[in-house]
Amino acid sequence: MGITKLADLIRLDAHDAISHKDISDYTGKVIALDTSIVVNQFRAATPALSPLTGLFFRTLTFLEHGIKPVFVFDGKPPGEKAAVLEKRAETAGWRFSNRTGIASSQTKDCLQLLRLLGVPFIQAPGDAEAMCAWLVRAGTVDAVASEDMDSLPFGANILIRQLNAKKDSEVIEYSLPKLLQKLQISHEEFVDLCILLGCDYCDKIAGLGPRRALTLIQKHRTIENVVLNVNRKTHPVPLFWKYKEARKLFLDAPQIETPELVWTEPDEEALVKFLCHVKYVKEERVRSRMEKFRKTREEREKEKAAGCTKQTKMEDFFRVTRKRGQPVEAADSLSSNTKRPKSK
DNA sequence: TGCGTCC
DNA sequence: TCTTCTGCCGCAAGACGCA
DNA sequence: TGCGGCCGAAGAG
């Protein structure tokens, strides 16, 4: 669900924090993705089909563009969010199964697919969004790609939306430092603002929308002070309001030692065996996509040989590792890329 | 480019 | 009176390949 | 399921 109306607020009040990019602008970048969001996207688009094929196609598109994806899996959700998830699952009519953090069969399939594609993945101790944001802060990855805005209060400096395989689709990049500068608030104040807007971890104050919430935080700086300065009759504070727990979740996300990230060559034969013989995807579909992948890769190498500097040589790309706390480039360099508005 | 199909 | 919030409604969500 | 647009209701100045 993310943060209610945060995208609107940024669009209207901190437009400078947004830049419009093309997927090719992320060549050579390490991008963390919340796997559950990606999988749910495919499930929502084609409920009758396995989301595995979608994951397969999209991951290859990333690799073709020289993007190094890292998939992050949800661990045991924090108690506050578990309640929300359970409620959501109940209304949707399915059983909420990630209470323990034990991988479902679908998760195991995704893990297997990523292994065969040679793409690294990380098991988060809790919320995958929190882990993704922490990876950016630690310099392990350059940005988070997600449709949820949660990564920003979690502290991800760069958030990318609409990073998909569609041709001519516009990628939107949000810069947290620019956002804070434009709104003239600190990260802690921004977290309080997100709680007032409405997040997954606690209730919100009724009657306070994005306009008023922003003005109040800019004026009074903390939720405690905002509460003292709003009309309690028209804007009642929720009973047993767990805003302090929510604040703690955003600011003190659980951290783990990041494993060394390694990208290797996709194993076509094993992919065919898994996707076609176990998951019953048509072999022709998998083979032709792999063929296209190889051709794109060859073209890139040719371009590189011809002196096209932007392209990443694939031999360089594979078997490349990213060590902990050793960013390839500062995350901020992503947002310093030239804006490339799409012409329609 | 639009539309049908993927499983 | 103007601004802001809320609730309701409708639509579209992925990616590929063929015509 | 989530969003954007539209509308009526309610609050702020």
Side-chain angles (χ1 to χ4, degrees):
Chain A
M1 207 163 103
I3 310 294
T4 314
K5 303 270 177 185
L6 179 58
D8 285 348
L9 186 140
I10 297 173
R11 198 168 50 230
L12 295 168
D13 294 279
H15 203 265
D16 295 354
I18 304 172
S19 43
H20 299 273
K21 301 283 184 82
D22 188 89
I23 190 166
S24 59
D25 290 325
Y26 298 96
T27 299
K29 303 294 178 194
V30 182
I31 309 284
L33 297 108
D34 179 339
T35 317
S36 67
I37 289 177
V38 178
V39 168
N40 279 332
Q41 250 183 315
F42 290 119
R43 208 159 38 187
T46 52
L49 309 177
S50 163
L52 274 184
T53 43
L55 188 63
F56 167 72
F57 286 121
R58 190 181 281 190
T59 305
L60 284 179
T61 304
F62 289 158
L63 295 172
E64 276 172 349
H65 281 93
I67 294 170
K68 300 170 189 170
V70 181
F71 286 86
V72 179
F73 286 80
D74 270 314
K76 190 173 183 280
E80 289 78 6
K81 194 169 184 173
V84 177
L85 291 172
E86 204 152 357
K87 209 173 175 181
R88 216 180 283 168
E90 212 177 276
T91 48
W94 25 274
R95 224 177 87 244
F96 172 58
S97 57
N98 204 15
R99 190 193 266 279
T100 53
I102 295 165
S104 65
S105 66
Q106 192 177 70
T107 304
K108 284 176 188 162
D109 288 343
C110 292
L111 289 169
Q112 176 67 356
L113 178 66
L114 294 172
R115 251 182 233 116
L116 300 176
L117 284 165
V119 169
F121 48 81
I122 294 172
Q123 176 67 56
D127 220 319
E129 286 282 330
M131 184 72 206
C132 289
W134 182 76
L135 291 170
V136 182
R137 291 212 309 273
T140 312
V141 307
D142 296 301
V144 178
S146 174
E147 296 315 303
D148 247 342
M149 300 295 282
D150 284 32
S151 313
L152 292 172
F154 275 123
N157 282 335
I158 303 289
L159 166 66
I160 304 163
R161 291 179 101 187
Q162 289 169 227
L163 187 71
N164 51 38
K166 240 185 242 166
K167 282 190 177 75
D168 298 327
S169 81
E170 195 178 58
V171 181
I172 303 166
E173 186 183 296
Y174 294 85
S175 159
L176 180 62
K178 284 183 187 172
L179 172 62
L180 298 179
Q181 191 187 13
K182 188 73 187 174
L183 297 181
Q184 292 285 297
I185 56 176
S186 68
H187 180 223
E188 286 75 14
E189 289 158 3
F190 176 62
V191 166
D192 277 11
L193 172 62
C194 290
I195 294 170
L196 288 177
L197 292 174
C199 66
D200 281 348
Y201 303 115
C202 66
D203 294 328
K204 70 187 285 293
I205 300 176
L208 284 190
R211 299 278 77 237
R212 285 172 199 151
L214 175 62
T215 312
L216 288 164
I217 282 292
Q218 283 172 329
K219 197 172 175 186
H220 305 294
R221 301 290 159 187
T222 63
I223 289 177
E224 285 83 354
N225 289 338
V226 167
V227 167
L228 292 173
N229 287 279
V230 289
N231 185 339
R232 299 282 282 271
K233 279 182 184 167
T234 54
H235 303 299
V237 172
L239 276 172
F240 313 113
W241 195 24
K242 293 188 171 178
Y243 73 93
K244 281 186 182 169
E245 287 83 346
R247 183 193 276 159
K248 193 169 155 44
L249 281 168
F250 281 124
L251 294 172
D252 310 323
Q255 297 167 10
I256 57 156
E257 274 282 291
T258 321
E260 206 161 308
L261 304 175
V262 185
W263 291 266
T264 56
E265 190 82 28
D267 184 342
E268 181 169 339
E269 292 313 313
L271 280 165
V272 167
K273 210 170 168 184
F274 175 61
L275 286 173
C276 310
H277 303 160
V278 181
K279 296 291 156 191
Y280 306 109
V281 181
K282 270 191 190 140
E283 183 167 341
E284 196 192 317
R285 247 165 97 79
V286 176
R287 293 275 185 203
S288 67
R289 187 63 184 83
M290 287 307 294
E291 175 67 22
K292 190 193 154 208
F293 174 70
R294 274 196 303 276
K295 276 187 182 162
T296 314
R297 209 167 65 159
E298 279 163 25
E299 274 167 32
R300 278 183 164 274
E301 281 172 27
K302 273 183 204 163
E303 279 171 14
K304 167 86 180 177
C308 196
T309 52
K310 194 174 179 181
Q311 310 302 327
T312 311
K313 196 176 172 184
M314 277 302 183
E315 292 122 44
D316 295 340
F317 178 79
F318 289 116
R319 280 185 290 282
V320 158
T321 63
R322 171 71 73 96
K323 290 198 177 81
R324 280 187 293 276
Q326 208 180 47
V328 169
E329 283 169 48
D332 214 41
S333 70
L334 270 95
S335 37
S336 65
N337 281 352
T338 346
K339 273 192 186 181
R340 208 186 279 186
K342 281 250 133 31
S343 50
K344 284 194 177 170

